[in-house]
Amino acid sequence: MTLEQEIIQALEAGQWLDFVSRYNLRDDADEASMRALAIGLHKKGRFDLLAAIDGLDDDGDTFRFYEIQQFYSDALPQLNAEPVAMLKAVRRLVEEGGPNRDGGFIALPFRDWCKGAGRATAIAALLDFKEPRDGWYLRLALEGASTSDPDGALDWALTLIANQAGPPRTAALEALGSLGTTPALAARAITALRHHLEQETDDQSLGIGLYSAIELHGRGEQANPADTSAIVTLAANRGGSEMRGRAMQALWFQWKSATPAILNQLIEIAETIDGDDAVAVDHLDHALYQMISGKHVERAIGIVRKLLSANRGALTVHSFDGFEHQLLTQHRARFETLAVEWFLSGDRALGEAVMALVAKVHGAPMVLRPDLAPFGYGPAELIFLARKAVGYLFSTPVTAASLLMAIMRTGIGDAVKGATELLFDPLLINYSGELGDHLREAAKDTNDPAAQHVQAALQQLENYLERLRAVGRVKALDPSERERMIEWRRRQQEMEEAMKAGEKESIFSLLATKVVLLYGNRSITYVQPFGDEPGPERRIVTEMQSHHHSHEYARMIVVDPHGIDLMLRHFRVERLPT
């Protein structure tokens, strides 16, 4: 049986969708040939490929749906069909796809189908906007019409914006940004849009209008910057959260194509977003990622600094995970000086941001080596920096110590003395293990001006430990059995909570199912053959492995938890003397 005969047989038996969904699993599959034969049968009028979509049902099989949608997305622009039938089929595919299976995958093929003469206006005439996606279909029809008649499509969109409130206006505003296919068309569209928005007060319309104006401005090679700037200004003055979300979307997608003045306007809007505006924050993070990945590192840092300071508690540096990733991986030297600047600012939000960024780095402790000489700081500023470093980075002692060593390298007497004292107490007194080992290695570097001061702090530690050992064991200070159990339970709960928090952020929770083994040291899984694959089920044995890690508790957390906590809080909140 030839492939064409197989296609005809499937269509006649009402099994076309099953045939499409399984075809690519065959060893002899030739998708392009199969699609061409099916389209040929449709064009000859022997079968209606769109009518077959009526049999599409939600059986939960995502792979089946993907294969069907993939076929129709490739075939749709080539099918001759009445607008009623086409709209019905596209609606069915979108409805079946839903939010979790990307029903919008069919959007571009439908837009391309609308390029045909009279098709876009015919589709628009069928829309009554009672269905939630009717505005989206109108937008696609406008974009399709623009391919064959750019001026006519733009006039149509501007007429809808001026005269049709509700979904038609929204759809036309959404489509407008892609209708300026030449600088002249873009400039004309921006001028008309400005006249409309001067009377607009709706937040959504202002937001969409702002984005469309900037998109037209970019597509038209920075067309009509004066009216574009005016649109951004009036939208910023009247708009709310929807406008800010769209502005951040424009900053994300269009920041390279906008003039410097318009880019400054978008950045000014970025600096006003609220911490609880999740959409705007997410769009801004994408924009910041691009900015810090290029030549606009300082602008990105400035935006984040201002937002963190204004939204302490509502925003953290982790809200901008793309930004922080690039800062830590591509701009480590700049992060070192940034940590100094943010600590010296005395702003708690910025200090907490440095602490969070340091904690984000896993593996070997982060060692900071900023050159403080160019800053020109005096003793008061350097001692203030040392106290901030200890206050915020106490739980990452190697990193805190590295900043103290940077202060020692300045050679400024009072600052060196203060940094050495803090290196001993509280850092070495609390973390004589890992930090002590790290500093003993650092003290061997005779070319490092900080080495002698590190050695002095280590000698203080040895003297301190000798005095402790001289006392011997004081049994009266031993915790009781009850106190031991309470502490053991507290640490167990702490580890359980850390494990749960880690599981929530782990990608493995998306890739695998959690299984609890009651006994044994291995698991056995049986895997069924995939699709039409022949053969018995496979037996997979997974041997259990062990892993471990160590953690050093600060001494004073056990001996004097309230005292050490009060000292660190004081370091974090104090202000630089004036």
Side-chain angles (χ1 to χ4, degrees):
M1 184 182 295
T2 65
L3 178 56
E4 184 175 35
Q5 289 172 330
E6 290 184 67
I7 293 172
I8 292 172
Q9 184 182 66
L11 286 164
E12 288 178 339
Q15 297 177 343
W16 171 242
L17 298 182
D18 291 332
F19 177 84
V20 170
S21 65
R22 296 173 182 169
Y23 180 74
N24 282 323
L25 297 174
R26 294 166 41 162
D27 292 334
D28 63 343
D30 183 351
E31 187 177 2
S33 297
M34 183 272 285
R35 184 171 59 250
L37 288 169
I39 292 172
L41 292 170
H42 177 93
K43 289 182 175 180
K44 292 175 183 178
R46 293 190 61 181
F47 298 99
D48 186 352
L49 293 180
L50 295 179
I53 297 176
D54 291 341
L56 188 60
D57 59 342
D58 186 5
D59 59 359
D61 188 338
T62 302
F63 176 79
R64 178 176 184 270
F65 174 76
Y66 173 79
E67 289 294 317
I68 293 170
Q69 185 170 244
Q70 182 65 50
F71 170 83
Y72 277 98
S73 67
D74 293 334
L76 205 69
Q78 304 176 56
L79 299 182
N80 296 322
E82 291 296 319
V84 173
M86 178 58 70
L87 183 59
K88 179 183 177 183
V90 170
R91 277 176 164 163
R92 187 74 190 96
L93 287 167
V94 172
E95 178 185 345
E96 183 70 17
N100 298 321
R101 295 195 297 197
D102 196 11
F105 195 78
I106 207 72
L108 295 183
F110 177 62
R111 182 202 64 185
D112 292 341
W113 182 86
C114 288
K115 294 176 182 178
R119 288 176 175 176
T121 53
I123 289 292
L126 296 171
L127 302 172
D128 57 11
F129 302 101
K130 293 180 180 178
E131 297 293 328
R133 294 186 179 90
D134 278 5
W136 185 57
Y137 298 130
L138 175 58
R139 174 186 174 181
L140 295 174
L142 281 164
E143 292 176 356
S146 177
T147 304
S148 55
D149 184 9
D151 284 285
L154 179 57
D155 290 337
W156 181 15
L158 293 175
T159 300
L160 290 172
I161 291 171
N163 302 322
Q164 296 285 330
R169 175 178 293 166
T170 301
L173 284 170
E174 292 271 15
L176 192 63
S178 62
L179 303 184
T181 52
T182 66
L185 282 175
R188 180 162 75 89
I190 293 170
T191 300
L193 182 58
R194 176 185 178 179
H195 291 320
H196 169 74
L197 292 181
E198 284 175 346
Q199 311 301 321
E200 186 63 74
T201 57
D202 178 66
D203 185 26
Q204 183 185 43
S205 296
L206 289 167
I208 299 172
L210 179 150
Y211 184 85
S212 292
I214 294 175
E215 187 177 10
L216 286 164
H217 172 70
R219 282 177 178 270
E221 301 173 3
Q222 298 186 344
N224 201 343
D227 282 339
T228 304
S229 177
I231 288 172
V232 176
T233 298
L234 66 88
N237 291 337
R238 299 179 195 166
S241 61
E242 179 72 22
M243 179 280 299
R244 286 188 288 272
R246 294 284 182 163
M248 294 307 95
Q249 189 178 12
L251 188 61
W252 173 10
F253 288 110
Q254 308 294 334
W255 69 277
K256 287 185 178 180
S257 58
T259 63
I262 293 172
L263 181 60
N264 287 337
Q265 287 180 285
L266 292 175
I267 290 175
E268 288 175 6
I269 296 174
E271 293 172 345
T272 67
I273 66 174
D274 298 324
D276 56 358
D277 192 342
V279 173
V281 170
D282 180 66
H283 290 344
L284 175 58
D285 180 47
H286 285 88
L288 291 170
Y289 177 87
Q290 296 187 45
M291 294 173 74
I292 199 171
S293 299
K295 300 178 181 179
H296 296 273
V297 178
E298 295 306 319
R299 302 198 81 165
I301 290 173
I303 294 170
V304 172
R305 173 176 181 154
K306 190 161 186 177
L307 283 173
L308 292 179
S309 296
N311 293 273
R312 182 173 180 265
L315 276 180
T316 70
V317 72
H318 295 327
S319 303
F320 307 105
D321 53 352
F323 165 84
E324 67 178 2
H325 172 78
Q326 289 300 95
L327 180 63
L328 291 173
T329 58
Q330 303 300 320
H331 302 284
R332 179 61 68 87
R334 180 63 183 101
F335 170 67
E336 293 183 355
T337 58
L338 188 66
V340 173
E341 295 167 9
W342 283 9
F343 279 154
L344 260 297
S345 72
D347 189 318
R348 290 186 65 187
L350 300 180
E352 290 165 357
V354 175
M355 179 172 64
L357 287 166
V358 170
K360 190 177 179 68
V361 177
H362 301 290
M366 180 186 291
V367 176
L368 306 177
R369 292 183 62 92
D371 181 7
L372 299 179
F375 287 94
Y377 293 139
E381 290 90 351
L382 292 173
I383 293 173
F384 182 76
L385 172 62
R387 291 163 72 88
K388 290 296 179 185
V390 172
Y392 283 107
L393 303 179
F394 180 75
S395 60
T396 51
V398 172
T399 308
S402 67
L403 263 181
L404 296 182
M405 291 175 66
I407 294 171
M408 295 173 188
R409 295 184 187 103
T410 63
I412 298 176
D414 290 342
V416 171
K417 179 182 177 183
T420 306
E421 290 174 351
L422 288 170
L423 183 60
F424 167 62
D425 183 12
L427 290 184
L428 277 170
I429 280 182
N430 282 279
Y431 299 103
S432 57
E434 180 186 15
L435 177 60
D437 294 340
H438 172 78
L439 292 177
R440 289 183 187 93
E441 288 299 316
K444 296 177 182 178
D445 185 358
T446 56
N447 295 321
D448 188 348
Q452 59 178 319
H453 308 296
V454 170
Q455 186 59 53
L458 287 169
Q459 186 58 53
Q460 284 183 281
L461 173 65
E462 288 303 317
N463 296 338
Y464 171 78
L465 293 177
E466 284 181 12
R467 291 195 295 270
L468 281 182
R469 297 186 191 107
V471 175
R473 180 181 176 184
V474 181
K475 291 185 178 181
L477 296 179
D478 286 353
S480 66
E481 187 66 23
R482 176 176 176 276
E483 290 170 333
R484 291 176 189 271
M485 291 298 295
I486 291 173
E487 177 62 14
W488 177 84
R489 180 57 182 161
R490 184 190 69 80
R491 292 191 184 186
Q492 183 186 43
Q493 289 177 336
E494 189 177 80
M495 293 302 296
E496 288 175 352
E497 291 172 359
M499 177 74 80
K500 291 178 181 178
E503 287 178 351
K504 287 182 180 178
E505 297 183 4
S506 173
I507 190 175
F508 292 110
S509 62
L510 302 176
L511 301 176
T513 302
K514 182 177 180 180
V515 177
V516 178
L517 297 183
L518 299 180
Y519 61 91
N521 59 3
R522 64 179 181 170
S523 66
I524 300 174
T525 306
Y526 291 91
V527 180
Q528 299 293 332
F530 178 74
D532 297 330
E533 178 184 330
E537 59 187 10
R538 290 178 295 154
R539 183 175 184 267
I540 299 177
V541 179
T542 304
E543 298 287 344
M544 298 294 102
Q545 305 293 327
S546 63
H547 73 280
H548 68 278
H549 72 281
S550 61
H551 176 74
E552 184 178 7
Y553 273 90
R555 276 194 180 89
M556 292 303 160
I557 295 295
V558 178
V559 178
D560 182 18
H562 297 295
I564 189 69
D565 181 64
L566 183 62
M567 180 181 69
L568 296 177
R569 286 177 184 270
H570 181 70
F571 284 175
R572 290 195 292 265
V573 302
E574 67 183 1
R575 309 292 293 184
L576 182 64
T578 56

